[in-house]
Amino acid sequence: MKLKDKRIVITGASAGIGLALSKRLIKSGARVACVARNKKAMEKQFGNRAVIISCDISDPVQLDAMFKKAENLLGGIDIFIANAGFAYYGTIGKPDWEKDKKIFLTNVVSPIYSLQRLSEGRKTPLIFMVTISGLGKMVLPGFALYNSTKFALDGFVRTYRMEKPKNIKIIPVYPVSTVTKFFNKAGGKDTPVPYPRQSTEFVAWCMESGLKTGVRSVYTSVIFLLRCMISRVFPIDLFAQGFERIRLKRWRCKQDLVMKGH
């Protein structure tokens, strides 16, 4: 499928994967609405080459307003890319209802609601791409909250495929660790980054290629794809989990020292 003149909305467009993918989509000739909270960052990156919409996707009022604006300015939506995500690393910590709610609203509820809104009464084709993460397929210590949201989203996609109408195509994306500020936002500058690691440009290329070819799912790492197949039979994640458990303990020690003022 050619992307030229396709009306595309992408969330999380101000940085990381979303920024790299937005640039590729604009270059392909698509009509793109870039969505994120940081409007100034998007204006600096895209200028008048894209529709810029400031929106906190965890807020249903802002999300509804974003859809109305995007649909009016683009004349409709052919492809929606739910890419924005709430970064979190560390132990689950003290009881914090608002934090727990925020991560699930951003990572799970918002993409599902967006799909519901776009598909309600729809007769024309829609491609709905959603960035899930490799952590929707495996568990690592330090990511309990983040893991749980991604497993929920992966479960939704797998089940929705058995219920969806024929005019809706859903494409989940499973990137591994990307070289961005994501992990710094998740747990600070000392946050351990799991392996393997990839550039945002490569992940964006994989996602763009997935849209063009109409694949069922996008795995950005062949190694991770093989792991997903083998892990159904053998417990190959035990080494990685043990390694990350050690890194989590070291990270917690550093955080304790910071809290004590050392």
Side-chain angles (χ1 to χ4, degrees), residues 3-48:
L3 297 179
K4 183 176 174 58
D5 295 327
K6 292 294 183 183
R7 299 165 296 183
I8 304 176
V9 175
I10 176 170
T11 65
S14 63
I17 295 172
L19 174 59
L21 180 56
S22 295
K23 289 180 178 179
R24 295 191 69 91
L25 295 174
I26 292 170
K27 189 176 181 179
S28 73
R31 298 168 58 195
V32 184
C34 297
V35 179
R37 290 178 297 176
N38 193 336
K39 186 177 182 179
K40 290 184 178 179
M42 291 188 291
E43 289 175 338
K44 182 178 179 180
Q45 290 288 344
F46 308 118
N48 60 0

Side-chain angles (χ1 to χ4, degrees), residues 24-258:
R24 295 191 69 91
L25 295 174
I26 292 170
K27 189 176 181 179
S28 73
R31 298 168 58 195
V32 184
C34 297
V35 179
R37 290 178 297 176
N38 193 336
K39 186 177 182 179
K40 290 184 178 179
M42 291 188 291
E43 289 175 338
K44 182 178 179 180
Q45 290 288 344
F46 308 118
N48 60 0
R49 295 180 298 149
V51 173
I52 306 298
I53 305 177
S54 176
C55 176
D56 179 349
I57 64 163
S58 68
D59 180 348
V61 175
Q62 291 189 46
L63 196 59
D64 281 335
M66 180 276 290
F67 274 111
K68 289 181 180 179
K69 185 173 182 178
E71 288 165 347
N72 287 335
L73 293 176
L74 295 178
I77 299 173
D78 302 309
I79 300 172
F80 187 88
I81 304 172
N83 172 73
F86 187 112
Y88 184 83
Y89 178 82
T91 56
I92 62 172
K94 299 178 181 179
D96 190 333
W97 182 272
E98 290 303 316
K99 179 189 73 176
D100 297 343
K101 181 174 73 171
K102 183 76 172 180
I103 189 170
F104 271 87
L105 285 175
T106 303
N107 292 5
V108 184
V109 179
S110 180
I112 293 175
Y113 176 80
S114 296
L115 178 59
Q116 290 173 318
R117 197 185 187 289
L118 287 165
S119 60
E120 183 181 17
R122 190 181 186 98
K123 302 299 182 182
T124 57
L126 170 71
I127 295 178
F128 191 90
M129 175 175 274
V130 54
T131 306
I132 294 183
S133 163
L135 290 182
K137 294 289 189 182
M138 69 180 295
V139 296
L140 290 178
F143 294 96
L145 284 177
Y146 186 77
N147 254 130
S148 62
T149 63
K150 295 305 182 177
F151 264 72
L153 197 54
D154 183 58
F156 168 77
V157 168
R158 292 163 61 189
T159 307
Y160 175 72
R161 277 177 164 164
M162 296 184 282
E163 306 171 356
K164 70 177 186 65
K166 292 182 179 180
N167 63 316
I168 307 294
K169 181 177 182 62
I170 190 164
I171 305 176
V173 184
Y174 301 96
V176 293
S177 301
T178 51
V179 185
T180 67
K181 295 180 180 179
F182 180 88
F183 290 95
N184 289 344
K185 291 180 180 179
K189 64 179 181 178
D190 296 320
T191 304
V193 181
Y195 294 93
R197 301 170 184 173
Q198 297 175 326
S199 69
T200 55
E201 289 74 17
F202 178 75
V203 175
W205 175 81
C206 290
M207 293 173 73
E208 181 189 23
S209 299
L211 290 172
K212 289 180 176 179
T213 58
V215 295
R216 179 178 173 84
S217 303
V218 175
Y219 287 84
T220 66
S221 168
V222 175
I223 294 174
F224 182 73
L225 177 58
L226 290 173
R227 170 263 155 206
C228 289
M229 294 186 288
I230 297 173
S231 64
R232 297 177 182 178
V233 181
F234 300 104
I236 61 173
D237 291 342
L238 293 179
F239 175 78
Q241 290 165 354
F243 178 65
E244 292 300 332
R245 188 175 289 115
I246 294 171
R247 299 176 82 193
L248 174 62
K249 288 181 179 179
R250 291 178 178 174
W251 177 84
R252 291 181 63 186
C253 288
K254 289 182 180 180
Q255 297 301 307
D256 289 342
L257 289 173
V258 172

